[in-house]
Amino acid sequence: MQLKVTALSVFLYLGVSAQNIQNNPGSNHGNRFEQLGTILPTPNVYRTASGAPGQAYWQNRADYDITAYLDEDKRNLKGSETVTYHNNSPDDLDYIWLQLDENQQSTLNKADYQFSSTLPKSLNDQQLKTTDLPAKDNGHGVNLEKVTDASGNPLKYTVNKTMMRIDLPKVLKKGEKFIFKIDWNYNIPNRIKMGGRGGYENFAEDGNDLYTITQWFPRMCVYSDFQGWQNHQFTGRGEFALVFGNYKVSMDVPADHIIGGTGECKNYEQVLSSEQLSRYKKSQTSAEPVEIVTLDEAKKAEKNHSKQRKTWVFEAKDVRDFAWTSSRKFVWDAMGVTIPENNNKVMAMSFYPKEAYGLYRKYSTKAVAHTIKTYSEFTIPYPYPVAQSVEASNGMEYPMICFNFGRTEKDGTYSEGTKNGMIGVIIHEVGHNFFPMIINSDERQWSWMDEGLNTFTEYLTEEKWDNKFPSKRGPAWTIVDYMKLPKDQLEPIMSNSENIIQFGPNAYSKPATGLNILRETIMGRELFDKAFKTYSKRWAFKHPEPADFFRTMEDASGEDLDWFWRGWFYGTDPVDIAIDKVTMASPDFSTVKETNETKYKVEEPLQNPFEDISKIRNKEDKTIAFEVDKDKNLQDFYYRYDRGQEKVDTNKEYTLKTEGNIALDKKEQEKLKNINAYQIDFVNKGGLVMPVILEFTFEDGSKLRDKSSAQIWRHNEKKISKTFYFDKKVRSIQLDPMRETADIDTSNNFWSNDGSSSETSKFHVFKEKQNGTVRGGANGKVNPMQAAGKKN
């Protein structure tokens, strides 16, 4: 609906500038609109002020050649790796750091970041096993067998809990590489009982295990321009900071096992039956998932535990990690997917036991394909040849492979909640291929750069899967319960992963919600999407930090968002904007007579009451020629007065001709008689500023929406007012009608014209001549010195 208010602008007596000054007496802001300044690191040759990698950006690299032997009887994994570490930094390195994440399962070598504990109401056997003082060795963790250089010479090393330092035999200089070898083994933990991301799950009914082999080999830590070595301990929460490299991995497993892993298998001809190989080739061009290992074949394999062995060989390029899964229980299906943006041919695949067949067969591989295609639209084109989903009763992500849940009841039935939960977790975990597997942030420090950015893009992807998908993270209204919590239960998004209390809302939901608010409410989709894609493109296969994201989003959009980063990411204030009062006004057509001239009596011209040191020295400086001395036209009253040549005659009148106000004629009054004015006063109760979004409902049932940017709060962060003029009467006003700002209290967001919380008044309406009009300051007065310049 378009209201006829544009023609009114020249007739309104209530001046906007004067009104704003009256409504904002003084600047009582709390720096919510100040620039982040020194909060962000200083730009340099490695990271620019625009948020892009600098001209001297560098990152180190590690290539791996690994062999692994899975001993199913002992549930032990034995490995040997050759690592080629490339020092691309400008620094000389005399030691290097590696991660031994499996030590977190050890009672002796774990990081031991304890939580406070209270007396439970009951204890089980598993809990009692952890109460030994001092702790007894539970047999888990990495057993290092040998650490040597490329020639087999032993290397000196030190293990500090989940970190391992290797002291180099000589300094590793810029541009050099160091090759070393490690042999190790560890007992694979029961991840269902012990927790953790990797391990085995035992199916008692058929006596088989399903292995998820993750964080399983000694991995290089990141050495970066912004931190040096990222060697913070792995506690089980803060995830991983890893370097890119190429991998060749050989896995020796029981002959009846099926393997899925990071990268591409290079020897399907040797490990698959002829029928399975034929199905695999068919799946490459199929628009629907094809079972490569069928349900019947998986059920048959469960009954016969082969003592024969097979070796699967995988290769992956430009990945930051390698994970794999192995079991004889797997059904395996696949289909080919083409990414339009780069014409990349991708194999979307799923591995799952019979317990998940009813759900995974229908949805998993299609969800994988949908995810990589949709993320490619919003970030960068998916660059890898494979994307896989594995049903393993949990959720965790690695390059090109992820582990999810999604099992049916024993009779094959499932609920809508289970189905949607499975689809959501598949989208989320597959989406992690982009954040952080490719756009490679430091998860150990900043969980939100991994989980938050991914959860946001997951929300966009769920929406494109099903417009009615019951997303629990992303929409603004879903974060309200968290934002309502007492301040002592909240911490800023910009908090270290280990220190966050409410980890899910803080690392996943709040950053995802914030990005959605930016996209839908603050920036708009076009500006946001361009900036988000720019960030993804700039930092693909690199190591971004928070400042790189913040700066890129502003650089690519032209939006000053420091107020938003400061409030939403660095603060804990919620949004609670309230309609405090509404003042209604109608026109008053009182006659205003025209005034042609105004007479002023001149007082002494304004001068500073004290001549400061600069004025004195300038007057004494003979090299300074004052402009007033050069211009004969200015040698009038002021020139002579300044030099004591003329005194003010307070009895003399000086006249200033003006064009005044002219009353409206009846035709114009008739045109404006139905105009209604509304001043709405708002109070910021929560502290976090946001755009002010209003929906007006008029007495004739029509509606109109208006939005003011958050900048309306910049002069007064506590109270603001906004005035509207309509040619019909307002019945009610709703603040934030679509619940898009995460306002925690909507009870104060509504006003209705029932006489409560409102005042009535009149406003004068007149017509103003434009030519020759003299305007003064905010108070409408004319400076006497203006009149004193010319005498009659």
Side-chain angles (χ1 to χ4, degrees), residues 24 50 60 249 316 328 333 358 494 504 616 703 753 767:
N24 295 284
S50 71
N60 290 348
V249 183
R328 64 178 55 86
D333 71 44
M494 291 293 291
I616 293 173
K703 294 179 182 291
N753 189 5
K767 183 162 59 178

Side-chain angles (χ1 to χ4, degrees), residues 171-344:
V171 171
L172 184 63
K173 296 183 176 297
K174 177 183 179 180
E176 295 181 345
K177 62 183 180 182
F178 178 65
I179 302 175
F180 61 98
K181 298 180 178 181
I182 301 178
D183 294 345
W184 80 99
N185 74 81
Y186 68 90
N187 293 323
I188 302 170
N190 183 327
R191 60 180 174 80
I192 304 300
K193 292 183 178 180
M194 297 180 64
R197 291 166 171 79
Y200 73 89
E201 177 184 3
N202 179 254
F203 291 77
E205 291 183 359
D206 52 58
N208 288 290
D209 292 340
L210 189 159
Y211 293 90
T212 56
I213 309 300
T214 65
Q215 293 92 249
W216 58 287
F217 60 98
R219 305 179 296 174
M220 287 300 308
C221 294
V222 170
Y223 183 78
S224 68
D225 62 277
F226 56 85
Q227 182 170 257
W229 287 108
Q230 168 50 292
N231 53 11
H232 295 172
Q233 296 290 334
F234 177 52
T235 70
R237 171 179 279 186
E239 291 175 357
F240 313 111
L242 299 163
V243 298
F244 287 104
N246 296 335
Y247 285 74
K248 179 181 179 181
V249 183
S250 300
M251 293 151 283
D252 187 333
V253 301
D256 51 2
H257 274 217
I258 297 296
I259 285 183
T262 297
E264 295 179 287
C265 181
K266 295 299 182 180
N267 66 333
Y268 278 149
E269 292 82 358
Q270 286 76 47
V271 295
L272 298 181
S273 69
S274 58
E275 293 85 359
Q276 292 167 345
L277 183 61
S278 176
R279 296 173 199 146
Y280 175 78
K281 292 179 179 179
K282 178 182 177 182
S283 71
Q284 292 177 308
T285 57
S286 174
E288 291 290 326
V290 174
E291 285 188 21
I292 299 166
V293 176
T294 68
L295 178 61
D296 288 340
E297 288 172 335
K299 289 180 177 179
K300 182 177 180 181
E302 284 182 343
K303 300 175 182 178
N304 301 305
H305 293 206
S306 175
K307 296 302 180 183
Q308 302 299 313
R309 311 286 299 185
K310 284 184 181 178
T311 299
W312 299 59
V313 179
F314 279 68
E315 292 183 6
K317 294 182 179 180
D318 291 326
V319 294
R320 65 172 224 160
D321 200 0
F322 190 101
W324 52 290
T325 186
S326 184
S327 181
R328 64 178 55 86
K329 289 179 65 64
F330 281 139
V331 179
W332 170 20
D333 71 44
M335 63 184 285
V337 182
T338 299
I339 305 300
E341 288 80 3
N342 60 356
N343 201 34
N344 183 28

Side-chain angles (χ1 to χ4, degrees), residues 3-207:
L3 293 179
K4 300 175 183 178
V5 296
T6 55
L8 185 62
S9 57
V10 296
F11 300 110
L12 297 178
Y13 178 76
L14 296 177
V16 175
S17 298
Q19 181 186 358
N20 283 345
I21 291 173
Q22 294 167 3
N23 289 340
N24 295 284
S27 57
N28 60 351
H29 60 82
N31 294 325
R32 289 179 174 85
F33 286 93
E34 298 305 318
Q35 298 298 290
L36 288 178
T38 55
I39 292 178
L40 300 183
T42 303
N44 51 47
V45 295
Y46 309 122
R47 294 163 193 272
T48 69
S50 71
Q55 60 182 354
Y57 177 82
W58 57 267
Q59 62 190 35
N60 290 348
R61 181 180 184 87
D63 300 320
Y64 298 83
D65 191 334
I66 309 174
T67 61
Y69 184 94
L70 176 61
D71 188 331
E72 189 175 30
D73 293 333
K74 296 181 179 179
R75 289 171 174 155
N76 179 270
L77 185 71
K78 183 178 178 64
S80 177
E81 68 180 9
T82 299
V83 184
T84 303
Y85 186 65
H86 303 262
N87 181 20
N88 300 321
S89 79
D91 306 326
D92 294 339
L93 304 177
D94 54 7
Y95 53 79
I96 58 176
W97 282 95
L98 290 88
Q99 305 179 48
L100 302 179
D101 302 284
E102 195 58 37
N103 277 356
Q104 180 56 22
Q105 296 285 13
S106 168
T107 49
L108 300 182
N109 294 320
K110 63 181 179 179
D112 201 28
Y113 281 30
Q114 296 186 20
F115 293 90
S116 76
S117 58
T118 57
L119 188 65
K121 294 181 178 179
S122 62
L123 283 173
N124 58 36
D125 293 343
Q126 189 65 33
Q127 289 172 309
L128 287 172
K129 290 179 181 179
T130 65
T131 60
D132 293 324
L133 294 175
K136 295 180 180 179
D137 187 355
N138 64 356
H140 289 283
V142 178
N143 301 308
L144 295 169
E145 299 174 3
K146 186 165 60 174
V147 181
T148 69
D149 63 16
S151 301
N153 300 309
L155 293 172
K156 182 180 179 182
Y157 66 89
T158 300
V159 174
N160 177 16
K161 293 171 280 196
T162 65
M163 290 292 162
M164 172 187 183
R165 189 189 71 238
I166 295 179
D167 297 323
L168 302 178
K170 66 175 184 177
V171 171
L172 184 63
K173 296 183 176 297
K174 177 183 179 180
E176 295 181 345
K177 62 183 180 182
F178 178 65
I179 302 175
F180 61 98
K181 298 180 178 181
I182 301 178
D183 294 345
W184 80 99
N185 74 81
Y186 68 90
N187 293 323
I188 302 170
N190 183 327
R191 60 180 174 80
I192 304 300
K193 292 183 178 180
M194 297 180 64
R197 291 166 171 79
Y200 73 89
E201 177 184 3
N202 179 254
F203 291 77
E205 291 183 359
D206 52 58

Side-chain angles (χ1 to χ4, degrees), residues 669-681:
Q669 290 186 25
E670 182 68 22
K671 183 178 179 181
L672 298 175
K673 69 179 182 179
N674 293 324
I675 294 299
N676 298 279
Y678 298 86
Q679 177 181 308
I680 310 172
D681 299 334

